[in-house]
Amino acid sequence: GVALAPHSADAQTILGFAYLSTDQDNAARSAFDFAVRINSADPRARMGLGLTRIRQGQLQAGREDLELAGSLDPENALLRAYLGRAYDAEGRSSDAAEQYARAKHLDAQDPTAYFFSALQLAASNAPVSAKEQMQEALSRNETRAVYRGQTLLEEDRVLRQANVVALNRTLGFDDAARAEASAALAENPQSGVLHRALGDSLATLPNASLTRQSEYLQASLRAPLGALPTPLALSENV
């Protein structure tokens, strides 16, 4: 598309997001920069540029791009969710919560704001509310099918299931954590994330040391190269 229409802001923006999704941050930055030069009022290009800058460690500049994109497209729920996440990274918790609330109001079926809200609540030592928000995100996971392929949807789902398991453990609901992890793993036995979650949930179960070692080993073997799950229980000779 870019080859046919190199001065199309739409084509450059979509190419930028394609680069961003495959961790080609510099190429994404170039595409978004070009798109913004072509059409400075395109909120999608501004959003992409903001996300790329944040990925590259330029938090303030990226957040400012997201704010500008929000002023250009104030009814975009996904944009509001990511702006809230940027505020959260800056320690502006109340501003972040306001953006999450706006995103949920604009699109109640999008799981993104619920997921980010759960992370914020967990970090602020509110595990009960965090678990509620994470379950809300999990229940809305399939509503993103029009935007994400089945593989990506499954990655989203297992991550949220693992987070629910972790929050149950934080709350002291160890039996519920093990049940949740086991049920999720039965649906997706190839997930390293879920094997790690089950291993973690076995920490307080007597005489489960060998089973726990096995789960951590499977988590390690099924993880992408260079992305071993942490923290692994080194004392258990994994």
Side-chain angles (χ1 to χ4, degrees):
V2 169
L4 292 171
H7 295 286
S8 166
D10 284 344
Q12 292 287 349
T13 297
I14 294 169
L15 181 61
F17 279 113
Y19 282 137
L20 196 62
S21 70
T22 53
D23 298 324
Q24 300 181 66
D25 295 349
N26 291 332
R29 174 73 176 269
S30 296
F32 289 131
D33 276 332
F34 195 15
V36 168
R37 288 199 299 271
I38 297 169
N39 182 5
S40 61
D42 184 350
R44 295 174 304 157
R46 287 285 180 186
M47 179 183 178
L49 183 58
L51 293 176
T52 305
R53 281 177 165 163
I54 291 171
R55 285 268 291 267
Q56 294 179 326
Q58 301 171 13
L59 179 56
Q60 180 178 342
R63 184 258 301 158
E64 290 172 351
D65 280 321
L66 291 178
E67 288 177 328
L68 181 53
S71 69
L72 294 168
D73 188 5
E75 304 300 306
N76 187 320
L78 189 64
L79 175 53
R80 291 290 167 190
Y82 277 101
L83 178 56
R85 188 66 172 151
Y87 285 144
D88 211 0
E90 291 183 319
R92 298 166 58 179
S93 299
S94 60
D95 290 332
E98 179 183 349
Q99 293 300 321
Y100 296 149
R102 291 185 65 180
K104 294 171 191 176
H105 175 72
L106 289 168
D107 186 355
Q109 294 307 309
D110 186 347
T112 310
Y114 294 93
F115 178 63
F116 289 163
S117 181
L119 297 180
Q120 181 192 40
L121 290 164
S124 60
N125 197 28
V128 174
S129 297
K131 180 185 171 184
E132 291 174 354
Q133 292 295 298
M134 192 64 71
Q135 287 176 321
E136 293 287 352
L138 182 57
S139 70
R140 290 165 171 78
N141 193 72
E142 304 307 313
T143 65
R144 298 289 290 169
V146 69
Y147 303 110
R148 296 171 72 76
Q150 190 59 39
T151 299
L152 294 177
L153 284 177
E154 289 179 1
E155 289 178 1
D156 292 343
R157 186 186 312 110
V158 299
L159 179 59
R160 288 162 188 170
Q161 288 172 325
N163 281 327
V164 170
V165 171
L167 289 166
N168 272 324
R169 292 181 59 244
T170 300
L171 291 166
F173 301 152
D174 292 336
D175 290 342
R178 285 190 288 273
E180 184 89 26
S182 297
L185 200 54
E187 295 177 0
N188 197 332
Q190 303 301 317
S191 171
V193 173
L194 292 177
H195 278 288
R196 180 197 162 184
L198 181 56
D200 289 344
S201 72
L202 294 169
T204 58
L205 192 67
N207 303 317
S209 177
L210 289 176
T211 304
R212 192 178 184 210
Q213 286 186 39
S214 173
E215 294 302 325
Y216 282 143
L217 177 59
Q218 292 188 70
S220 301
L221 294 174
R222 297 179 191 281
L225 291 177
L228 294 178
T230 56
L232 290 176
L234 299 179
S235 62
E236 300 205 21
N237 298 317
V238 177

